[in-house]
Amino acid sequence: MSSLAERFPALTAGAASERTLPVHESLIELLPSLQRGSTVACNGRAGVSLAMALAAAPSREGAWVGVAGLPEFGLRAAADMGVALERLVMVAGDPLWVDVLAAMIDGFDVVLVGQRVGRLGAGAVRRLQARVQSRGVVVLTVGVPALGADLQLTAEDGHWVGLGDGYGVATGRQVVVELGGRRMPRPRRTTMWLPDALGCIGASVLGRTELRHQVLARSDRRVAGRLAGCETAGDAFDHGVPIGIVEEGDRLPA
Amino acid sequence: MATMQRSTVPRLGVVWCPNWAVVAAQTEPGEPVVVLHGNRVVAHSLAAAREGVAIGQRRRQAQAACPRARLIVHDPDGDARQFEKVVTAIAALIPRVELTEPGMLSFLAKGPSRYFGGEEAMAVHMAGVATEAIGAVEVLTAVGGFGIGLADGRFAAAIAARQAAAGGTPVIVSTGVEATAQFLAPLPVQLLVSVAGLDADFVQLLQRLGVRQLGQLAALSVADVLARFGRQGEFAHRLASGGDDRPPDTVAPPSGLIAVQVLDDPAHHVDTLVFIARQMADELCSALSADGKVCTRLIITAETDHSERNERQWYRSTGLSAAAMVERTRWQLDAWVNSAALTAGVTMLRLEPVEVRSDDGVQLGLWGGRTQADEWAARAVARLATLAGAEQVLVPAATGGRLPGDAYSWVPAVTADLAEPSQRLTPDEGPWPGSLPSPSPAVVHPQPLVIDVRDAQGRGVRVTGRGAVSAAPATVQRAGTAIEPIVAWGGPWPLEERWWDASRARRSARFQLLTGSGSLLLACLERQQWWLLGEYR
């Protein structure tokens, strides 16, 4: 019986909701859900943020997230992104990564793998992949091409908003996220905020307005934009120009 | 409805010394003394009471009532230490003594009273022993001496002891539920708060509804009280009608069950000690669980080479697991290290269970409790600790701070209680003025990296003491990589922390630097050196 179940997983698999993990609402348009047992490579300049954004929704629903080979994982950014820190475990240092990854795949629902895991042998990778599929774990990789990928998420064309030439503070980044991979004959692309002004992930159009409101609401003192042709900070936003939060009495750049 | 099996109400004796803190402070007999905690009076001597000082008053009110009163700051540890003498003396006569709080202890009265030839005789003897144990009898007269009460159930016995302390002679309530109820009937329901520790709001509600005496509460039907007030009401009703069947629920731990570790090499880091505590706690818990017991009260003691000592008692009604013990060790040691400038490394660590009870398990919630995933994760953490080393398996803890790496830090998972993360992750509310707003860098370097930031002329960028930048940063270079141009930057955001403490003070200025390739860096300039703190990747 057990061998039958192993040979035909589809016969014994549960409902669709059990075979997938949820995805943050801003990403749903691009990727409706995360298939359990799949590996997603998060590439590009916003790769780490992207991996955090993907881990956030499952983590909030009760999944445990393991982080390997990424000792510089920023906890405040992860918390802002919505990762439940009470279900987050990291392995640091330089252990025998193959064994550690295997143990993480056994115990956690989402495993985030970073560059520091170093080289992994081809045989080890095959064993890990088999384990990932049988355990129904989602593996998110940042800069580990050796682990392979069912899906490739690439965040490129990063465009930071809020930072000027000597003034302002970065309030958000607009990126183009492209979804490709073995099972995607034609890549899909969306523009979105990663991160938005609250450090979270924001759908592009809606997020833009929201971001504008957030910045306007947060500028308890005064929001000023420095640009030609823009009357107000709101206008500046709509044109996608850098805006700074300037405090009363600050010298505005010429 | 089937009649409920009522367990018998135990016959209990309670020894109570009112205003124990005054006795513990070793004051002169006739002197008016006021013990304060958080600006409120928690105890006072008889002389002070005669002048109008009362418990709960503010310091100013107490001083106004009795200007010549000596003010003493409350020291609960000192109280406990002083009371230990009384506990030891009484424990020599009676086997199972429960220390309820400094100044109050209770014991099962049935056996001992037979031994001493009656309850009256026992109470008198007990008062003598307790008074003798203190040594200086005149100190005791300042507060009126010990009160000894005997009754069925701990609620009635505690009230009897209070009355005895006020009256000066032991109060013995005859045995039986009716007699107990009769004794309690004329007393105010307020005692449910002050003696039984019930919710003050609940008792206020009773009073507003016209139930002012315990007898009135007892006269209501249990079903009605249960329907209106739930479990708490039912419990209060049971107390009021003399059916308090709570046994002295804790017992002394099996003798000799203390984990002591003497370190040959003094430990200077909290982490080292916490790992040692982990082993000790594991041993303690396995010894206790072999007996079917769980520790509810634990004393953790640490001592340095120069006999600086820190001792603290921890209580958890649901029982302390090994992880909970370790976590409390870490809290205590962290607090100690931060508050006192220790002159030597720690050479002794001791975990002493002082209260255990039978482990009846803890019922987990149907919703929101532990899930299967939590169980698996806990097992995976234990396995990872053996694979990668316990120091390398980390979980987040909120620490609070202005830099991105300070707000949260990583602590070893074996020293944290994974099942109860709320305390670990409750952020230090701050405020942390000067911390940068969200978004935060997704990459925070555990050790900041050295970078070189120069202006358009190729000179290093500096910040003056008043926070002015020498020139706009134009290029940035990380060790071993090419020079990158800076297209946008923000800052400097100066940060001056702990300027009052020369050894830990730091002054720095933070910058955001956006390079030509589109990566945003969080850098800081400290002591003329540029550091890369994090990257917004």
Side-chain angles (χ1 to χ4, degrees), chain B residues 214-411:
Chain B
L214 292 170
Q216 292 173 317
L217 177 60
L220 300 172
S221 109
V222 192
D224 291 346
V225 175
L226 184 61
R228 176 66 180 80
F229 300 108
R231 293 274 326 254
Q232 176 159 258
E234 192 260 349
F235 180 57
H237 185 272
R238 186 142 43 96
L239 295 188
S241 42
D244 182 5
D245 55 359
R246 289 173 297 165
D249 51 350
T250 53
V251 291
S255 60
L257 193 65
I258 298 179
V260 187
Q261 185 80 46
V262 178
L263 310 172
D264 297 333
D265 297 327
H268 292 273
H269 293 285
V270 171
D271 283 346
T272 324
L273 288 162
V274 169
F275 279 112
I276 294 167
R278 171 87 204 180
Q279 288 174 358
M280 295 160 69
D282 278 340
E283 280 168 24
L284 265 188
C285 283
S286 60
L288 281 170
S289 66
D291 260 0
K293 296 279 196 310
V294 61
C295 172
T296 49
R297 204 180 287 273
L298 177 79
I299 294 182
I300 302 173
T301 314
E303 213 174 84
T304 67
D305 216 2
H306 295 171
S307 341
E308 290 150 309
R309 190 181 165 86
N310 182 268
E311 181 177 300
R312 199 149 154 200
Q313 203 179 94
W314 298 93
Y315 176 77
R316 191 176 175 199
S317 59
T318 55
L320 291 149
S321 63
M325 287 182 186
V326 175
E327 197 158 59
R328 277 149 187 81
T329 310
R330 183 153 54 78
W331 294 341
Q332 178 177 339
L333 292 173
D334 271 340
W336 188 34
V337 168
N338 284 335
S339 63
L342 299 182
T343 55
V346 173
T347 50
M348 192 276 289
L349 186 65
R350 192 174 69 189
L351 304 185
E352 182 183 0
V354 283
E355 203 178 272
V356 299
R357 64 167 170 76
S358 51
D359 188 3
D360 47 6
V362 177
Q363 184 66 48
L364 297 170
L366 190 53
W367 289 283
R370 277 172 80 72
T371 64
Q372 186 68 52
D374 295 348
E375 289 292 333
W376 284 336
R379 256 178 266 163
V381 166
R383 166 131 180 77
L384 286 171
T386 60
L387 283 175
E391 303 87 350
Q392 304 291 2
V393 183
L394 308 170
V395 290
T399 37
R402 293 175 180 81
L403 293 175
D406 290 350
Y408 291 99
S409 61
W410 296 100
V411 296

Side-chain angles (χ1 to χ4, degrees), chain B residues 441-460:
Chain B
V443 164
V444 176
H445 295 290
Q447 301 298 329
L449 310 178
V450 174
I451 52 171
D452 190 22
V453 177
R454 294 181 181 276
D455 63 12
Q457 271 74 47
R459 294 171 306 212

Side-chain angles (χ1 to χ4, degrees), chain A residues 107-129:
Chain A
F108 305 130
D109 308 280
V110 177
V111 179
L112 208 162
V113 187
Q115 265 173 348
R116 300 289 176 88
V117 294
R119 273 178 187 284
L120 299 170
V125 167
R126 265 200 305 281
R127 278 197 300 280
L128 287 177
Q129 280 168 341

Side-chain angles (χ1 to χ4, degrees), chain A:
Chain A
M1 187 63 209
S2 64
S3 62
L4 194 67
E6 277 170 21
R7 279 165 57 200
F8 302 104
L11 289 179
T12 51
S17 62
E18 286 169 24
R19 279 180 279 131
T20 58
L21 286 178
V23 164
H24 194 282
E25 52 188 12
S26 303
L27 281 166
I28 280 183
E29 224 176 286
L30 195 67
L31 180 66
S33 62
L34 282 173
Q35 196 77 30
R36 279 182 175 274
S38 64
T39 303
V40 183
C42 302
N43 308 318
R45 206 161 286 288
V48 178
S49 296
L50 207 51
M52 283 178 180
L54 282 175
S59 153
R60 259 182 310 186
E61 309 254 311
W64 281 73
V65 179
V67 180
L70 193 63
E72 57 269 19
F73 188 83
L75 283 169
R76 221 183 106 185
D80 284 348
M81 203 68 86
V83 176
L85 296 189
E86 62 267 30
R87 285 185 291 276
L88 183 69
V89 178
M90 175 165 82
V91 178
D94 196 20
L96 202 55
W97 281 112
V98 178
D99 293 350
V100 165
L101 286 176
M104 289 179 110
I105 288 165
D106 283 352
F108 305 130
D109 308 280
V110 177
V111 179
L112 208 162
V113 187
Q115 265 173 348
R116 300 289 176 88
V117 294
R119 273 178 187 284
L120 299 170
V125 167
R126 265 200 305 281
R127 278 197 300 280
L128 287 177
Q129 280 168 341
R131 210 158 180 149
V132 165
Q133 272 156 20
S134 72
R135 303 278 170 191
V137 176
V138 170
V139 175
L140 307 171
T141 64
V142 182
V144 195
L147 274 177
D150 301 302
L151 290 173
Q152 298 270 358
L153 271 178
T154 311
E156 273 304 347
D157 289 345
H159 171 61
W160 280 96
V161 164
L163 197 62
D165 192 10
Y167 57 93
V169 61
T171 53
R173 169 174 51 183
Q174 214 167 20
V175 290
V176 178
V177 179
E178 186 183 281
L179 175 68
R182 285 202 305 237
R183 295 177 192 161
M184 299 289 297
R186 198 184 303 156
R188 273 189 257 168
R189 316 170 124 243
T190 327
T191 313
M192 59 179 66
W193 290 101
L194 186 70
D196 67 9
L198 294 181
C200 198
I201 178 170
S204 189
V205 184
L206 187 68
R208 190 181 181 77
T209 335
E210 273 172 357
L211 179 67
R212 183 184 149 186
H213 286 308
Q214 279 159 10
V215 170
L216 290 182
R218 211 174 58 190
S219 58
D220 33 5
R221 296 181 184 90
R222 199 149 58 92
V223 176
R226 184 217 99 161
L227 344 127
C230 282
E231 291 294 313
T232 63
D235 285 350
F237 245 100
D238 295 341
H239 289 93
V241 236
I243 292 229
I245 297 180
V246 179
E247 302 196 358
E248 209 85 55
D250 272 11
R251 187 179 55 84
L252 274 183

